[in-house]
Amino acid sequence: MTVSAAPPLLRTLVAVEDLRVRFGRAEVVRGVSLAVRAGECVAVVGESGSGKSVTARSLLGLAGPGSTVTAGSFRIGGRDALRFGQADWRRLRGRFAGLVLQDALVSLDPLRTVAAEIAEVLAVHDVVPRARRRDRVLELLASAGVPDPEARAGQRPHELSGGLRQRVLIASAIAADPELIIADEPTTALDVTVQAQILRLLAERKAAGTALLLISHDLAVVASIADRILVMKDGRVVEEGPADEVLSDPRHPYTRTLLAAVPSAASRGTRLSAPGTPVPPRPVTDVQVLAGTGLTRAYGTRKAVDGVSFSLREGETLGVVGESGSGKTTLARLALGLLEPDDGRVTLLGRPWSGMPERARRPLRSRVQLVSQDPLGSFDPRHTVGRLVAEPLGLPRRERRDRVLDLLERVGLPPELAARHPRELSGGQRQRVAIARALGPRPDVLICDEPVSALDVSVQAQVLDLLADLQAEYGTAMLFISHDLGVVHHVSHRVLVMKDGRAVEEGEAGQVLTRPAHPYTRALVAAVPKLGSAQRNASPSKSPEERHSSMNRK
Amino acid sequence: MIRRLLAGVAVMWAAATAAYLALLLAPGDTVDILVGDGPDTPEIRAGIIAEWGLDRPEVVQYLAYLGRLLRGDLGRSYQSQRGVGEILAGQVWPTAQLTLAAAATGVALAGVIALVTAGRGRWSRTAASAAELVSVSVPPFLVGIVLLSVFSFTLGWFPVSGAAGPEALVLPALALGLPIAGVLGQVLRDGLERALEQPFAVTARARGLTERALVARHALRHALLPVVTLAGWFTGTLLGGAVITEVLFGRPGLGQVAMQAVTGGDLPVVMAVVLLSAVVYVTISTLLDLAYRVIDPRVRA
């Protein structure tokens, strides 16, 4: 008897050749070929507008209204999808393949209970007789890691935490025991520890034999779970291969750019948008510009910020990390003087800043400026970019114009943008406008509240490089708030870790984020998805410690 | 809920006070106004002064008036010399019939149009929008006149006036209900289309739901929220519209009563109609508020 050494031939669940999707004249997917075999995880990675989501949805016949889908060949579940009618697609959806979308708060019907949403799949495909559906729903919730399913079943998405909601969404996708799960950005907008839990849950499903098609903008997220990776750009697959090969030995320049653009400990001191080139030195002086002592602020009985102290020196970036609800944004508002502390005090440039009448504060207002996550929300949509940037300057008309053009140039925007409206700009351009506006009054302190969280990784890289350049040139101190440890590690001189309103750890960025002392910081650092050896190979560089000492010498 | 009730009581009190102030501020001698076009003799004047307590200070009169209202005494009509409560009681039912029929017509038409055209081709949408725009912009009395001339005078399908039997209800209900159908239809369709674009609709489709099931189980509930809000506002216009429609179609009802009372200066009746409208308004908006909570359980939080 001979034992075959060859791996077992895996059944192909989906195989599509030359997939094209058009919306009107615009072709958003331009000849994509991909296959998913039973039990494997294929990841499609790309930035917004790369066509990755449309590709994934086309596999379920859900490309969207107004779309035209064509393909050279398209087989799914052993059948020819090119001949499918609506009824064929419906039999497939939920039963053969389940879909998990981003943000369960809106991806589950907010008006219906969790149990009703999951039971719907069971009812549509008549998987379980009506009488046993409730039991099955509870089993599914438990298997998706939802504690106390009995109590949760009757709740609605808004009553659950982000992580629990996402588990419910996964429970509804696996309810009819599909052979394939299509997960479109399943962990985006989740806190890093919750993201790690959801990835673990998906990995468990994969281990149980379910194939996984994972869509993400984040290479690090897919690194831990994908067997094969497809990199998409402008509707085409630019690179494809086994996960470790794509990550450690990327062939296509775009893949290399993507990998290099991920901020981390290893990328400190270098440009993210131009790997290998150093950012100009950002020296820190001993002059304290902003400080808070024993800050406490409660909303009702809950203390959003509880006894937090910090200090910020000229030219320094203090990174504030923590998960949602940890009090980061409240701290920012206290620092901006938009909120009065219940206890403790804030000083700005050595003068009292909190507890002052607004009249006394106004002359100092221009010294502290804000860059927020969603600049569109902080812009008057009827104003032009020029007017938005000019607003805080208060200069005579003629000088104002020159200064606006100068500021736009400083943040890398062409002068003709001054006449446009914010909604005509891309996300990256909007954030540049927000930075130009904040820099206008030449502030001593810039408060950045999740400034890059809504941006694609390559755009994020450009904005982070810009902030570093500006800090090097003007010596502006920055309070940099982010939930992304990689970003914070990349930009910060020092780091403050917040949990439940308290500062649990503070110190040099390299120290805190590579050798965390507090258990919570350790949990946070451990939960960050890693690219493994991939990134170091892509842009060889020194260890964080070496880097750190070189930073201090500057 | 208790807050809701208190607010209702406050609205009622405000309506009663406003009606009373209107009476006080109306030009001319109060006694003249109360006498109106009725017989005018010194005895009647003395009677009026005694009944309304016009020789007492205004504050006392006002409190006495509120006291009478609390006991359910609406006063007497000066035209017919009957109790106002008795007059209204006889006229409430025809008006209730008309407004309920109009509301049902409006909601049913809106529902059908929206469900048939939501998310469909551009042509059916455009046609429905145009029809809705026309029905909203044309005032009910004009719709009524057109309906009358076509279906009653020319075709003879429905009676020209009166309230005898259900046939007599068809045209007035249509005249009053069409503008409602127009507005609600538009809001409902917009709501449906917006709901069908939400991520949860993609999730639901990915479970294998048919479009019809998606609308019935998910989208409709979302689309109902703005409709319910609007329906509260429509209650007010329905009562106002009923006045015109009843006069036009020669139907008995509160509209006719109010019309005669206003032209004849029969203020006790006018005030009673104002109060009744306030009661109806408060009741219906409370009911809609409860409906809102059932449709969107997030409101409770």
Side-chain angles (χ1 to χ4, degrees):
Chain A
M1 260 179 95
T2 52
V3 178
S4 167
L9 259 183
L10 292 174
R11 206 157 48 88
T12 302
L13 300 180
V14 195
V16 59
E17 296 281 334
D18 195 27
L19 177 73
R20 288 171 187 276
V21 183
R22 276 186 295 121
F23 289 91
R25 293 245 179 84
E27 196 175 45
V28 296
V29 177
R30 310 171 176 193
V32 167
S33 299
L34 83 96
V36 183
R37 285 183 292 270
E40 76 169 344
C41 172
V42 175
V44 180
V45 177
E47 299 190 285
S48 26
S50 62
K52 57 187 192 305
S53 278
V54 179
T55 302
R57 287 177 195 190
S58 302
L59 299 185
L60 290 175
L62 287 173
S67 63
T68 319
V69 181
T70 59
S73 75
F74 188 174
R75 295 191 67 80
I76 183 163
R79 299 176 60 202
D80 183 2
L82 293 175
R83 295 163 187 268
F84 272 9
Q86 276 304 316
D88 297 298
W89 279 119
R90 278 200 298 272
R91 261 195 297 281
L92 202 81
R93 293 176 194 152
R95 189 79 180 90
F96 176 78
L99 179 68
V100 180
L101 294 177
Q102 177 184 344
D103 192 3
L105 187 58
V106 289
S107 299
L108 288 168
D109 189 334
L111 300 183
R112 306 214 316 160
T113 62
V114 157
E117 287 287 275
I118 299 175
E120 190 167 79
V121 193
L122 303 175
V124 167
H125 298 287
D126 208 11
V127 188
V128 176
R130 184 183 291 263
R132 287 198 34 241
R133 265 179 217 154
R134 186 167 168 85
D135 292 338
R136 180 77 184 121
V137 166
L138 297 180
E139 279 170 36
L140 283 162
L141 282 170
S143 72
V146 175
D148 199 4
E150 285 276 356
R152 300 297 180 193
Q155 291 184 306
R156 293 184 172 75
H158 74 278
E159 297 170 279
L160 302 176
S161 69
L164 280 185
R165 282 202 283 271
Q166 206 65 20
R167 287 173 188 274
V168 170
L169 191 57
I170 292 174
S172 91
I174 61 174
D177 203 12
E179 293 179 69
L180 171 67
I181 298 175
I182 298 179
D184 189 354
E185 303 273 10
T187 65
T188 306
L190 295 180
D191 280 328
V192 55
T193 51
V194 181
Q195 166 170 289
Q197 293 164 13
I198 297 296
L199 286 175
R200 218 173 299 138
L201 176 60
L202 289 173
E204 279 168 25
R205 298 308 305 179
K206 187 189 147 196
T210 314
L212 201 56
L213 180 68
L214 187 59
I215 313 296
S216 180
H217 70 283
D218 191 339
L219 274 165
V221 163
V222 306
S224 64
I225 184 171
D227 298 305
R228 284 190 302 124
I229 294 180
L230 279 72
V231 180
M232 276 189 79
K233 183 179 195 297
D234 299 332
R236 291 196 180 84
V237 174
V238 296
E239 179 154 5
E240 179 181 1
D244 30 336
E245 268 177 42
V246 172
L247 292 172
S248 62
D249 185 18
R251 311 252 150 126
H252 195 278
Y254 179 69
T255 315
R256 281 202 287 271
T257 316
L258 271 189
L259 281 168
V262 177
S264 68
S267 66
R268 282 180 67 112
T270 61
R271 284 188 174 279
L272 291 166
S273 54
T277 32
V279 289
R282 301 178 295 149
V284 177
T285 73
D286 284 334
V287 182
Q288 191 184 67
V289 287
L290 181 72
T293 0
L295 294 175
T296 298
R297 170 73 199 205
Y299 293 109
T301 56
R302 199 180 66 88
K303 284 183 177 169
V305 168
D306 189 0
V308 174
S309 300
F310 68 92
S311 85
L312 189 59
R313 290 169 295 174
E314 193 184 0
E316 182 178 47
T317 297
L318 173 65
V320 179
V321 279
E323 300 189 284
S324 32
S326 63
K328 303 185 303 269
T329 294
T330 305
L331 186 67
R333 291 171 65 83
L334 290 169
L336 279 162
L338 295 177
L339 206 60
E340 282 295 319
D342 299 331
D343 201 7
R345 45 181 298 192
V346 184
T347 54
L348 175 66
L349 303 169
R351 281 182 270 179
W353 178 239
S354 60
M356 302 291 289
E358 188 54 33
R359 200 151 38 85
R361 237 184 328 210
R362 198 162 297 134
L364 281 176
R365 279 259 175 234
S366 64
R367 302 294 89 218
V368 193
Q369 294 291 316
L370 170 73
V371 177
S372 61
Q373 173 175 357
D374 171 27
L376 200 56
S378 64
F379 292 157
D380 185 329
R382 269 172 292 240
H383 289 190
T384 61
V385 165
R387 190 166 167 197
L388 287 167
V389 174
E391 199 174 31
L393 296 176
L395 291 169
R397 190 171 291 261
R398 192 148 330 133
E399 289 171 52
R400 207 191 293 163
R401 200 188 136 66
D402 292 343
R403 180 92 175 101
V404 165
L405 294 182
D406 176 52
L407 282 166
L408 289 182
E409 196 191 331
R410 289 292 317 132
V411 299
L413 290 175
E416 56 268 25
L417 243 53
R420 301 256 210 97
H421 287 91
R423 83 193 107 72
E424 302 171 272
L425 308 182
S426 69
Q429 286 174 325
R430 276 180 210 145
Q431 203 55 285
R432 282 169 195 268
V433 172
I435 294 171
R437 182 165 74 156
L439 285 177
R442 298 191 206 272
D444 294 285
V445 180
L446 206 54
I447 312 265
C448 302
D449 190 0
E450 301 275 5
V452 292
S453 303
L455 304 177
D456 275 329
V457 63
S458 62
V459 182
Q460 164 178 292
Q462 293 162 12
V463 170
L464 291 178
D465 286 347
L466 171 67
L467 285 173
D469 286 342
L470 295 171
Q471 187 170 50
E473 185 171 344
Y474 298 122
T476 317
M478 292 190 198
L479 191 68
F480 193 103
I481 292 168
S482 177
H483 70 283
D484 188 326
L485 269 75
V487 169
V488 166
H489 205 158
H490 176 82
V491 301
S492 307
H493 296 95
R494 283 188 307 121
V495 172
L496 181 78
V497 183
M498 289 190 69
K499 183 185 194 308
D500 301 333
R502 290 210 177 78
V504 296
E505 190 163 359
E506 200 213 332
E508 298 284 345
Q511 177 74 29
V512 171
L513 296 177
T514 49
R515 285 188 302 275
H518 194 276
Y520 177 69
T521 319
R522 253 178 261 148
L524 271 188
V525 171
V528 175
K530 303 238 173 17
L531 281 168
S533 59
Q535 207 190 10
R536 249 155 285 148
N537 291 355
S539 59
S541 64
K542 298 169 256 182
S543 76
E545 289 91 316
E546 285 169 318
R547 188 157 297 287
H548 193 70
S549 56
S550 70
M551 291 266 322
N552 284 348
R553 276 200 302 277
K554 280 169 192 167
Chain B
M1 207 52 234
I2 288 166
R3 258 168 121 190
R4 192 67 230 188
L5 278 175
L6 286 178
V9 170
V11 168
M12 295 302 305
W13 170 75
T17 309
Y20 187 78
L21 279 178
L23 181 64
L24 269 187
L25 296 175
D29 182 40
T30 311
V31 181
D32 284 341
I33 296 167
L34 287 174
V35 169
D37 294 339
D40 187 2
T41 65
E43 292 77 45
I44 288 177
R45 285 190 165 254
I48 289 171
I49 289 171
E51 184 179 348
W52 286 78
L54 292 175
D55 44 355
R56 289 177 292 167
E58 269 98 358
V59 180
V60 179
Q61 290 180 38
Y62 168 66
L63 292 176
Y65 157 73
L66 283 187
R68 279 202 303 278
L69 282 185
L70 281 179
R71 290 196 306 273
D73 177 6
L74 292 167
R76 292 178 71 78
S77 157
Y78 284 90
Q79 286 182 319
S80 61
Q81 297 297 327
R82 287 190 298 149
V84 172
E86 186 194 334
I87 295 176
L88 292 187
Q91 304 295 331
V92 162
W93 179 231
T95 301
Q97 266 184 331
L98 173 61
T99 46
L100 286 178
T105 309
V107 170
L109 272 178
V112 170
I113 296 172
L115 288 174
V116 167
T117 57
R120 293 292 160 82
R122 189 184 282 173
W123 286 110
S124 58
R125 263 204 71 137
T126 314
S129 295
E132 283 157 6
L133 194 63
V134 169
S135 74
V136 174
S137 354
V138 178
F141 74 86
L142 193 59
V143 176
I145 290 171
V146 171
L147 288 174
L148 271 179
S149 64
V150 174
F151 294 101
S152 297
F153 296 122
T154 314
L155 295 172
W157 290 359
F158 299 105
V160 177
S161 73
E167 312 92 67
L169 198 56
V170 173
L171 292 185
L174 264 181
L176 202 50
L178 272 179
I180 299 178
V183 175
L184 288 190
Q186 212 147 15
V187 171
L188 192 59
R189 185 178 53 240
D190 282 354
L192 282 175
E193 289 181 347
R194 215 170 313 128
L196 289 174
E197 283 168 12
Q198 297 294 313
F200 69 76
V202 177
T203 308
R205 286 192 185 101
R207 291 180 189 135
L209 247 65
T210 58
E211 283 299 302
R212 206 174 306 140
L214 176 60
V215 168
R217 288 190 216 160
H218 296 270
L220 194 56
R221 195 165 168 183
H222 287 260
L224 274 181
L225 292 174
V227 170
V228 167
T229 311
L230 259 188
W233 176 73
F234 265 117
T235 323
T237 64
L238 265 181
L239 283 172
V243 174
I244 298 166
T245 312
E246 280 173 0
V247 173
L248 181 69
F249 286 92
R251 285 176 60 87
L254 288 180
Q256 292 276 17
V257 171
M259 190 78 180
Q260 282 161 16
V262 170
T263 46
D266 196 350
L267 278 158
V269 176
V270 174
M271 282 164 67
V273 170
V274 169
L275 282 178
L276 186 65
S277 316
V279 172
V280 170
Y281 194 81
V282 167
T283 315
I284 291 194
S285 60
T286 307
L287 287 178
L288 289 177
D289 216 49
L290 292 177
Y292 210 99
R293 279 155 200 261
V294 172
I295 296 172
D296 189 351
R298 289 173 297 180
V299 175
R300 280 184 212 133

